Amino acid sequence: MQGSIGWQSVREEALRRIRNRDWPPGERIPDEAALAAELGCARATVNRALRDLADSGLLERRRRGGTRVPLVPVRKATFSISIIRHDIEARGQQPGYRLLRDTLAKAPDKIATAFDASATEKLRHVQALHLADGAPFCLEDRWLRPSIAGPDLSFETLSPNEWLVRNVPFAQGGFSFLAVPADAQTAGHLECAEGSALLALDRTTFGPSMITAVRLTYAPGFRIEAQL
Amino acid sequence: MQGSIGWQSVREEALRRIRNRDWPPGERIPDEAALAAELGCARATVNRALRDLADSGLLERRRRGGTRVPLVPVRKATFSISIIRHDIEARGQQPGYRLLRDTLAKAPDKIATAFDASATEKLRHVQALHLADGAPFCLEDRWLRPSIAGPDLSFETLSPNEWLVRNVPFAQGGFSFLAVPADAQTAGHLECAEGSALLALDRTTFGPSMITAVRLTYAPGFRIEAQL
DNA sequence: AAGTGGTCTAGACCACAAA
DNA sequence: TTGTGGTCTAGACCACTTG
């Protein structure tokens, strides 16, 4: 190795050796000190490079056990979630928005349980449609703890999605993707046939206690894409 | 800050200040040298912590521009993709496998184009069913370049998924999630109603040239889950 | 022009797990 | 026990980009 220094160069060289089977799957590779000597850089630089590869699942590292090329690599993919309007703009389309419903209502058991809400407590239930170039893009069906977003906060022009991202950021949560058949109401809003297979994203957000639960149901044809 | 040292402690302290609005969205935070002095550690340690938060989308960093709490945080989630059998085992279920089809055939245009295959070239077409506790879990529908997996390689007992992960690792590729209605054949294999909404994962893998394209169609109820 | 993050270095100590 | 990665430190230079 003689190319320009830098931990990224070290990573690329290591990646080359992995793909090239110079370092076969299951085998230990030279330790950091040896690589540093061979490549003419500090051990910390090698460490940074190998740690990065390990984070990507292309290497396994263990104290005292050394670094190995895994027999079965676990590739990791990442995708970003933020403001729906930005996603639409990123597709080169004109975003639109329409509030469909904004009421206080008793949530279904599943939701109420997640909120740890009492049997009679009402939650704010908001439904809104996001549009791309005027066509339905995504149906937002959200339950909100009223103490987070009081009645004086209107979602007429600003979607709950965007308000929350801007005002209740940095919270914890979980999410899951699933496929759902379009029910009559959803089919109407998304202008598709009832029973259509739709991609949905369920998401919960909580700080000290539950803040919001939302299902985003996307119009037919929508894909979540990523690179390996 | 007096807790045990370590870059993770610095990250937690920074995270606390972000969530606590000590560092409000849009504002610049103290530079690395200042934080290092305040927290009583080296600048490199602060750097490691803040870089980690920036990688998660919780901070924005720019040379000369300083570090800021973003107005609209972009949360990043990661999920792993590897061997289907392992996923089933991780759910605490007994994995099973059945080969349904293994032929040489002309691929549909969309696939053939991805392979850059000539009009008459045939590709290996494999269909297999993955089972969890004996029930259908996932239908694997794969096209393979024959030069990668010759006819002497049988997929009777080893799924193409697993063979590829073990023998053609470290390749590049892309993938996407989508929802599809179950066609008659898929419904039969997955033992669900025709037209059911199913989660599918399309994936392409290529090295110097296209290696394989696969669609994994999951049984009803399957979810991809992740934490924020 | 100058301030800030990005990175490298050389050395050190520690934690962990394999031998 | 001992070798390996994990991390910290103090100092240095550089790259970018903002004012």
Side-chain angles (χ1 to χ4, degrees), chain B residues 73-91:
Chain B
V74 176
R75 300 305 300 271
K76 288 169 187 163
T78 111
F79 57 96
S80 310
I81 302 190
S82 187
I83 295 182
I84 296 167
R85 184 169 60 78
H86 292 347
D87 291 342
I88 295 170
E89 287 166 347
R91 297 158 63 98

Side-chain angles (χ1 to χ4, degrees), chain A residues 29-109:
Chain A
I29 73 173
D31 66 36
E32 294 185 346
L35 283 171
E38 182 199 342
L39 301 178
C41 64
R43 183 168 80 92
T45 304
V46 173
N47 179 279
R48 174 83 186 266
L50 298 188
R51 180 159 42 79
D52 188 82
L53 287 171
D55 288 343
S56 307
L58 274 65
L59 287 176
E60 281 175 352
R61 323 193 73 202
R62 276 145 70 176
R63 279 170 154 134
R64 165 71 196 191
T67 299
R68 295 171 174 279
V69 181
L71 254 6
V72 333
V74 176
R75 300 305 300 269
K76 288 168 187 164
T78 91
F79 59 96
S80 311
I81 302 190
S82 187
I83 295 181
I84 296 167
R85 183 170 58 81
H86 291 348
D87 291 342
I88 295 170
E89 286 166 347
R91 298 158 62 99
Q93 299 182 293
Q94 181 68 31
Y97 171 75
R98 193 159 74 235
L99 179 64
L100 302 173
R101 169 199 178 117
D102 186 351
T103 60
L104 278 180
K106 181 171 178 338
D109 285 350

Side-chain angles (χ1 to χ4, degrees), chain A residues 1-221:
Chain A
M1 190 68 190
Q2 71 309 332
S4 60
I5 47 90
W7 68 272
Q8 306 200 30
S9 314
V10 175
R11 183 184 59 187
E12 281 176 32
E13 172 62 14
L15 191 50
R16 192 187 67 73
R17 295 185 186 186
I18 293 171
R19 292 205 220 264
N20 207 42
R21 297 286 202 279
D22 294 335
W23 293 341
E27 294 287 302
R28 273 183 68 158
I29 73 173
D31 66 36
E32 294 185 346
L35 283 171
E38 182 199 342
L39 301 178
C41 64
R43 183 168 80 92
T45 304
V46 173
N47 179 279
R48 174 83 186 266
L50 298 188
R51 180 159 42 79
D52 188 82
L53 287 171
D55 288 343
S56 307
L58 274 65
L59 287 176
E60 281 175 352
R61 323 193 73 202
R62 276 145 70 176
R63 279 170 154 134
R64 165 71 196 191
T67 299
R68 295 171 174 279
V69 181
L71 254 6
V72 333
V74 176
R75 300 305 300 269
K76 288 168 187 164
T78 91
F79 59 96
S80 311
I81 302 190
S82 187
I83 295 181
I84 296 167
R85 183 170 58 81
H86 291 348
D87 291 342
I88 295 170
E89 286 166 347
R91 298 158 62 99
Q93 299 182 293
Q94 181 68 31
Y97 171 75
R98 193 159 74 235
L99 179 64
L100 302 173
R101 169 199 178 117
D102 186 351
T103 60
L104 278 180
K106 181 171 178 338
D109 285 350
K110 215 169 182 176
I111 302 284
T113 302
F115 275 84
D116 196 26
S118 63
T120 59
E121 187 177 352
K122 291 191 172 180
L123 299 173
R124 188 166 179 180
H125 184 203
V126 183
Q127 285 184 315
L129 189 63
H130 296 262
L131 306 133
D133 284 345
F137 177 76
C138 167
L139 181 65
E140 177 178 358
D141 186 300
R142 184 182 297 272
W143 293 88
L144 269 163
R145 182 178 298 281
S147 58
I148 299 288
D152 36 330
L153 172 65
S154 164
F155 292 126
E156 283 291 341
T157 58
L158 180 69
S159 74
N161 165 265
E162 187 155 353
W163 183 84
L164 281 160
V165 169
R166 291 187 184 278
N167 294 279
V168 191
F170 319 120
Q172 299 180 287
F175 66 88
S176 60
F177 288 108
L178 68 163
V180 297
D183 59 25
Q185 189 197 41
T186 302
H189 293 316
L190 293 180
E191 295 174 9
C192 63
E194 195 171 339
S196 300
L198 304 176
L199 189 64
L201 168 57
D202 277 354
R203 197 170 159 195
T204 59
T205 305
F206 50 90
S209 66
M210 191 73 175
I211 294 172
T212 182
V214 66
R215 168 167 291 185
L216 302 179
T217 308
Y218 290 88

Side-chain angles (χ1 to χ4, degrees), chain B residues 207-220:
Chain B
S209 66
M210 191 74 174
I211 294 172
T212 183
V214 63
R215 168 167 291 185
L216 302 178
T217 307
Y218 290 88

